[in-house]
Amino acid sequence: MTPWLAVIGIGEDGLAGLSPAARALLENAEVLVGGARHLAFAPEDGRVRLTWTRPLARLIEDILGHRGRRVAVLATGDPLHYGIAVTLARHVPIREMTILPAPSAFSLAGARLGWPRTSVRCLTLHGRPLDLIQAEIQPGAKLLILSADGATPKALARLLDQRGYGRSRIVVFEHMGGPKERRIAGEAATWHDQAIADFNTVAIECVADPGTPIFSRAPGLPDDAFRHDGQITKREMRAITLSALRPVPGQLLWDVGAGCGSVSIEWLRCDPANRAIAIERNPARLRLIADNAAALGTPGLEIVAGEASAALGDLTAPEAIFVGGGLARDGLMALCWDRLKPGGRLVANAVTLEGEAVLRDWRATTGGEMIRVGIERAEALERLTGWRPLRAVTQLAAVKR
């Protein structure tokens, strides 16, 4: 089918910044789509106009209703970088689309600061929680963030200051590429309350205050990084467990008997594309999981309340499963194994003889690797120092062939 849908990136310079090909597609379109700011660039000439709606699904339906006509969608910058073209490509085959990007806000901000895109983390807070950046706050990290509105820079400054990154440098760019472009700069701890346009991009260079804890993306966050009631996979064992689970970008993990959610949260921190579902029956621990997910930058963690045997049946099949609790319940391992995708990994930890017996019997029928881990930590012993052993953990790691 001949492409009928054109997605055109446009900047603050409006029609003057469009290439001849983009202008031709826009001028010949029968239907124009975009926000009020985008559509204001096109002359009022009687053509059908569709503006953004909430929810966006209604607009997608309207666009699809014009399939076969010449439709031009105007979008800011690069429509495939957190833009409308990402959503449209889920509904329209690429052979029916023409996508013409303009320089994105990330490209423009990087050029103004001299920041190579390969060394910068690009994020958006459009319709997303502020806590998304928690996992990105690292000493020396450079972040480019599309703001939700004019209040976003102040909220980011407050968050950085609370995290112990008050000396971080912030630059806000308004209306980049157009006649109203403006730059506002400062530090997080001393950021002033000021009027900022809703259409803005924030650049942050993270600087940690002396003594600020550093939470790496590498598995094995300190135990005190999590709120918990003692039901937590300890730091050393958590790192071993994540190694056995082998996180792959974009894959889904079930964290069964999640406790405080430490394993699923670390799975998500390994790569922003990862997905995870934490299943927990204890109401107090469900709250701990939600608090930890927000504080550690993984607000997308899906939390399911209830008994695993009842909850798992309706969930999307995963590529990896961690069973951290409830091993002794009849049928749990079999249920998890049955729902696991072929080639997926199942890892289970046991600290009781009963749980260890389940893993031993399971390994006899399905195979897999079994290890027993004993860890000792050096701690004060009156005026001296001695070794305090943690409870030994037996772990089974199996791949579903």
Side-chain angles (χ1 to χ4, degrees):
M1 183 177 184
T2 302
W4 58 274
L5 179 61
V7 187
I8 302 168
I10 192 167
E12 283 287 293
D13 51 356
L15 301 182
L18 294 182
S19 68
R23 292 201 62 149
L25 288 170
L26 179 60
E27 291 168 359
N28 289 304
E30 301 169 87
V31 180
L32 301 180
V33 185
R37 183 172 60 86
H38 303 120
L39 294 176
F41 291 125
E44 290 282 357
D45 51 15
R47 287 182 287 181
V48 176
R49 291 179 175 232
L50 305 176
T51 56
W52 303 137
T53 61
R54 292 183 182 275
L56 191 59
R58 292 210 314 263
L59 178 63
I60 301 300
E61 290 179 7
D62 289 342
I63 292 173
L64 294 176
H66 291 283
R67 191 183 221 118
R69 301 182 71 186
R70 296 187 300 277
V71 179
V73 178
L74 292 174
T76 301
D78 183 352
L80 278 172
H81 206 158
Y82 295 123
I84 186 62
V86 178
T87 302
L88 287 170
R90 299 191 191 110
H91 301 273
V92 180
I94 191 61
R95 64 179 180 277
E96 299 180 26
M97 299 172 65
T98 300
I99 302 175
L100 295 177
S104 69
F106 300 128
S107 299
L108 294 172
R112 282 150 177 73
L113 294 167
W115 288 3
R117 284 283 299 280
T118 52
S119 64
V120 177
R121 181 83 175 96
C122 297
L123 306 160
T124 180
L125 292 176
H126 280 298
R128 294 169 171 84
L130 191 73
D131 287 323
L132 268 178
I133 79 152
Q134 295 272 20
E136 310 296 339
I137 301 175
Q138 306 280 345
K142 293 180 178 178
L143 313 177
L144 290 175
I145 302 168
L146 302 180
S147 287
D149 53 35
T152 301
K154 181 182 177 181
L156 288 169
R158 187 187 307 117
L159 177 59
L160 287 162
D161 194 29
Q162 291 171 347
R163 276 285 306 273
Y165 285 76
R167 297 190 299 170
S168 298
R169 292 179 284 277
I170 300 176
V171 181
V172 178
F173 295 98
E174 294 179 340
H175 300 292
M176 277 188 296
K180 296 189 293 182
E181 180 171 331
R182 184 169 73 122
R183 175 191 295 212
I184 307 114
E187 289 192 356
T190 57
W191 189 260
H192 299 296
D193 194 3
Q194 54 193 302
I196 294 177
D198 287 338
F199 186 53
N200 73 81
T201 302
V202 182
I204 299 173
E205 187 170 4
C206 297
V207 180
D209 298 337
T212 297
I214 297 173
F215 292 162
S216 168
R217 281 191 176 275
L221 286 174
D223 294 341
D224 60 10
F226 300 89
R227 292 185 59 208
H228 63 88
D229 59 2
Q231 189 73 14
I232 182 174
T233 302
K234 298 296 190 293
R235 174 172 57 88
E236 299 88 349
M237 197 64 213
R238 198 180 327 122
I240 293 171
T241 298
L242 267 294
S243 174
L245 285 167
R246 288 181 257 164
V248 175
Q251 290 195 345
L252 172 66
L253 168 76
W254 285 358
D255 185 358
V256 181
C260 70
S262 62
V263 170
S264 48
I265 287 170
E266 293 237 39
W267 168 279
L268 291 174
R269 285 174 61 89
C270 286
D271 192 283
N274 287 354
R275 298 170 296 144
I277 302 174
I279 302 98
E280 175 57 53
R281 61 175 180 166
N282 184 305
R285 289 174 184 157
L286 290 168
R287 183 65 202 177
L288 292 175
I289 295 170
D291 289 346
N292 288 329
L296 293 168
T298 59
L301 173 63
E302 184 178 346
I303 303 171
V304 174
E307 291 283 352
S309 55
L312 301 184
D314 296 329
L315 302 180
T316 303
E319 287 85 7
I321 298 177
F322 171 60
V323 182
L327 272 175
R329 296 192 188 98
D330 288 342
L332 178 60
M333 288 288 285
L335 175 60
C336 290
W337 189 256
D338 180 64
R339 294 299 314 282
L340 184 66
K341 287 185 177 180
R345 291 87 62 202
L346 185 148
V347 176
N349 292 350
V351 295
T352 66
L353 292 175
E354 292 78 7
E356 187 174 300
V358 171
L359 297 185
R360 186 183 61 244
D361 293 344
W362 188 257
R363 179 175 180 269
T365 58
T366 64
E369 298 180 351
M370 185 176 284
I371 61 173
R372 193 158 189 262
V373 181
I375 297 167
E376 298 182 359
R377 292 178 177 174
E379 294 187 357
L381 186 62
E382 295 182 353
R383 291 180 298 170
L384 304 175
T385 304
W387 292 106
R388 183 177 69 83
L390 303 182
R391 187 175 294 176
V393 179
T394 300
Q395 181 181 91
L396 171 70
V399 176
K400 186 175 181 178
R401 302 297 180 188

